[in-house]
Amino acid sequence: MTGSEDRKAEARRPLRLRAGTGGEGSAPSVFGNVPVSVTVLAALLAVICLAMTLAPDAVEEGIADRFGLSPARLAAGGAGAGGWFWAIAPLFTHALIHATGTHLLFNLLWLFVFGTPIARRFNSPLRFFSFFALCSAAGGAFFSVFHLNDPTLLVGASGGITGLLGGLVRFAFHRPHSKPESAKGVLPLTDKSVLILSAVIIAMNASVAIFGPGMGAGDADIAWQAHVGGFLFGLIFFPLFDPARR
């Protein structure tokens, strides 16, 4: 799905793992009919990536170390450097950082694909950004469970974007005339299409642990746990954010 990878660290550097208002308007035609909230998020990610690319190496590394998610720092909690705030804040801020322009572009592609229908459905930038942020945090937390003792920094919006996909699964295949149980516009978790799609998406991401990242990823590692964690949060908690259910 979305791209999330790491690059090997030098001796002094840790391994960095890349994880992939009222109403909504539309962006200018250069982006097509894309909701404003999606365009704003994409622009923010692009500006941050450009700034880090142009910054001196020491500054770029300092930003990544501070705002990237360190599972060890999260596990240390209040006893770690920076206390509880810097233990928890990177659960959200890691999604704003990308290690390379290629990593960013790949994630932006899926952000537009999955984010557009979600933003239109929510019809609220606040609801959209909140959903994305919590999906990112869930992906980061799930990833951290598997890497508590690794010298790893997770960066990238992949967990949040895959969470958008999880939400999309809950309504994209809604057929009100043939599925009375989804009359309110959200398919139940037990729906056959939800179960099948979820199993396929999770299996595709988890297969990375067995078969590797695949063609085009080079020596990168894919943060499949962040994808799965974000997806599951979006899949399960989408109805809490969906205005159609209110």
Side-chain angles (χ1 to χ4, degrees):
M1 304 306 299
T2 52
S4 221
E5 58 179 324
D6 74 329
R7 58 193 189 195
K8 299 301 179 182
E10 296 175 1
R12 63 179 181 83
R13 297 162 64 184
L15 179 68
R16 184 177 309 159
L17 192 69
R18 304 188 333 202
T21 63
E24 279 276 29
S26 294
S29 58
V30 66
F31 291 112
N33 190 23
V34 178
V36 171
S37 56
V38 176
T39 305
V40 168
L41 178 56
L44 176 62
L45 297 178
V47 168
I48 292 174
C49 183
L50 178 61
M52 292 183 65
T53 300
L54 297 177
D57 288 345
V59 174
E60 188 265 348
E61 285 300 315
I63 293 174
D65 290 345
R66 174 58 71 181
F67 295 99
L69 176 59
S70 166
R73 185 167 57 198
L74 178 62
W84 279 108
F85 180 82
W86 286 114
I88 296 175
L91 283 171
F92 303 93
T93 59
H94 79 274
L96 303 176
I97 302 172
H98 291 81
T100 67
T102 301
H103 180 208
L104 170 69
L105 290 175
F106 196 64
N107 275 346
L108 289 183
L109 168 64
W110 295 113
L111 173 60
F112 284 121
V113 172
F114 301 142
T116 294
I118 292 290
R120 289 174 180 164
R121 173 92 173 192
F122 286 168
N123 198 34
S124 165
L126 178 60
R127 189 177 285 119
F128 175 81
F129 292 135
S130 297
F131 185 67
F132 174 81
L134 290 173
C135 287
S136 299
F142 194 68
F143 169 84
S144 296
V145 171
F146 293 83
H147 295 275
L148 290 177
N149 298 316
D150 295 345
T152 300
L153 279 177
L154 177 69
V155 297
S158 299
I161 294 171
T162 314
L164 299 176
L165 172 60
L168 188 61
V169 168
R170 292 298 298 273
F171 71 88
F173 300 92
H174 174 224
R175 300 192 300 275
H177 299 295
S178 60
K179 286 181 172 289
E181 72 275 13
S182 61
K184 292 185 178 180
V186 177
L187 292 168
L189 289 171
T190 55
D191 182 82
K192 184 177 180 180
S193 63
V194 172
L195 292 174
I196 292 176
L197 278 171
S198 298
V200 170
I201 292 168
I202 292 173
M204 287 177 62
N205 282 282
S207 66
V208 171
I210 301 174
F211 302 108
M215 183 180 299
D219 61 355
D221 290 337
I222 303 299
W224 64 270
Q225 301 96 331
H227 297 178
V228 172
F231 175 81
L232 289 175
F233 182 92
L235 180 76
I236 296 170
F237 294 103
F238 171 79
L240 298 181
F241 295 83
D242 184 31
R245 298 279 290 183
R246 301 178 186 279

